[in-house]
Amino acid sequence: GPTITAGAGTYPVQVTDASGKVLAARTFTAGETVPFTGPLPLRLRIGNVQGTELAFRGKAVDLRALTKDNTTTVTLPLPAATP
């Protein structure tokens, strides 16, 4: 599952699994790293993208491309890129 690492500051994060179960809905603190597991897809709402690192299946997820006003909602796994 995905792993979120918070940088400086605090970050509101919500993670929901495929069944609609909320796995986390809280504020992360600086330096905190939290892994999540649950049925895919997982939906993440991240409130401070600039300071957040997200990894899924061992690979970094570029949140900047998915961000508006320093917040994002992302569903993992990401849709496959189309040529």
Side-chain angles (χ1 to χ4, degrees), residues 46-50 62-74:
I46 302 170
N48 185 347
V49 172
Q50 288 182 339
D62 183 6
L63 294 173
R64 292 173 295 175
L66 308 168
T67 299
K68 181 177 180 177
D69 298 327
N70 201 30
T71 64
T72 191
T73 299
V74 61

Side-chain angles (χ1 to χ4, degrees), residues 27-65:
T27 300
F28 286 24
T29 58
E32 185 174 10
T33 298
V34 181
F36 295 97
T37 57
L40 299 176
L42 295 178
R43 182 180 169 113
L44 295 87
R45 293 182 187 180
I46 302 170
N48 185 347
V49 172
Q50 288 182 339
T52 303
E53 295 176 17
L54 175 63
F56 183 68
R57 295 182 176 157
K59 296 185 180 181
V61 176
D62 183 6
L63 294 173
R64 292 173 295 175

Side-chain angles (χ1 to χ4, degrees), residues 2-27:
T3 300
I4 296 175
T5 301
T10 59
Y11 307 87
V13 175
Q14 180 174 335
V15 181
T16 307
D17 71 14
S19 70
K21 179 181 177 184
V22 176
L23 303 176
R26 64 183 183 83
T27 300

